[in-house]
Every structure is written in structure tokens, then in C-alpha cells.
Amino acid sequence: SGKIFGKGFLKGSQGQLNFVPEHFTDFIFTVAGEEWGFLGTSLILFLYFILIWRIFIIIQSAKEDFAKLIASGIMIMFLFHIFVNIGMTMGIMPVTGIPLPFLSYGGSSLIVNLISIGLLLSIHIRREKFF
């Protein structure tokens, strides 16, 4: 119902009137689509693409195998969360309760995502092999 430009921030009828279940956690992408429209959701997907692309660059630049495995696991975790949550929102995946990284309400998910980004930054800083 957001069409191209959306209805505006906090002006969506489906999310604000509680027609969408768990609209602040599991179905946050539907609220973003209704309030920000196609352009807003495209921007969200573009930002996730940049995140995954940068993680891929960190994987390629890491010299140690363990660092590559850690970064690959973090990239797969982000890809899985993004794919399942957006697929669940569109109705092509079952409703599972997996949060959308950095957007869904939830403290433990946000902490894990921030720790993962911290690990990636640490891997990127230590690109050289020490031994």
C-alpha cells in the first residue's frame, strides 16, 4: 500500500492500526514498505547489499584462514537473516521470527549484530599474517 514514495513516516494504516502482527519486530519490512514505499525499501536493500559486499571484501583481504572462516560465517548469518525475514514478509517463506538486522526491535539481536561488525572490523584491521 506504500506505492512508490510511501505514505509518510508514522502515517501507514496497516502498521499503526495493528493490522500487521508484530509490526515492530518480525514484520518491520512491511512497515518500511508502507511508510517509505518502493524507494525506501530499495534503499534498505541497497544498504544491505553494500554491507554484504564490504564483508566479501574483508573475506578476500584476510590472510589467515580462521579470519576468513569467521567473516564468512558472519556474512552467511547476515544473508540468512535478510533473506528469511524479507521472504517471510513477502509470504514466500514461513513465519519464523528471525529479525531483520539493524532494523527489527530486539536487544539481543542488535547486540549480536554489533559484535559481528566489531569482529569484522578487527579482521579488517589485522589483514596481515603475524606468523
Side-chain angles (χ1 to χ4, degrees):
S1 69
K3 301 194 177 154
I4 298 292
F5 298 107
K7 295 181 177 180
F9 184 63
L10 295 178
K11 292 188 172 51
S13 59
Q14 304 296 313
Q16 297 301 318
L17 299 175
N18 293 327
F19 289 114
V20 177
E22 303 299 326
H23 61 275
F24 51 89
T25 56
D26 295 344
F27 291 96
I28 192 71
F29 197 70
T30 59
V31 175
E34 184 179 23
E35 293 180 358
W36 299 335
F38 178 74
L39 293 178
T41 54
S42 297
L43 177 68
I44 290 171
L45 290 176
F46 180 69
L47 291 174
Y48 280 132
F49 172 76
I50 290 174
L51 175 71
I52 298 300
W53 178 61
R54 291 296 300 162
I55 294 173
F56 188 71
I57 289 173
I58 290 172
I59 293 170
Q60 287 181 334
S61 68
K63 300 292 185 223
E64 295 182 6
D65 291 337
F66 187 68
K68 287 183 181 186
L69 287 174
I70 294 290
S72 298
I74 291 171
M75 184 176 79
I76 289 171
M77 178 190 73
F78 279 129
L79 280 172
F80 181 76
H81 280 207
I82 293 165
F83 180 74
V84 169
N85 188 286
I86 293 176
M88 173 182 72
T89 299
M90 293 188 325
I92 59 174
M93 300 281 288
V95 178
T96 56
I98 293 179
L100 193 61
F102 302 112
L103 287 181
S104 293
Y105 176 77
S108 60
S109 169
L110 182 62
I111 289 172
V112 168
N113 290 336
L114 291 175
I115 289 171
S116 300
I117 295 296
L119 283 170
L120 289 169
L121 289 173
S122 176
I123 290 169
H124 183 65
I125 288 171
R126 294 169 177 84
R127 291 185 295 270
E128 311 302 325
K129 228 178 188 179
F130 291 120
F131 300 105

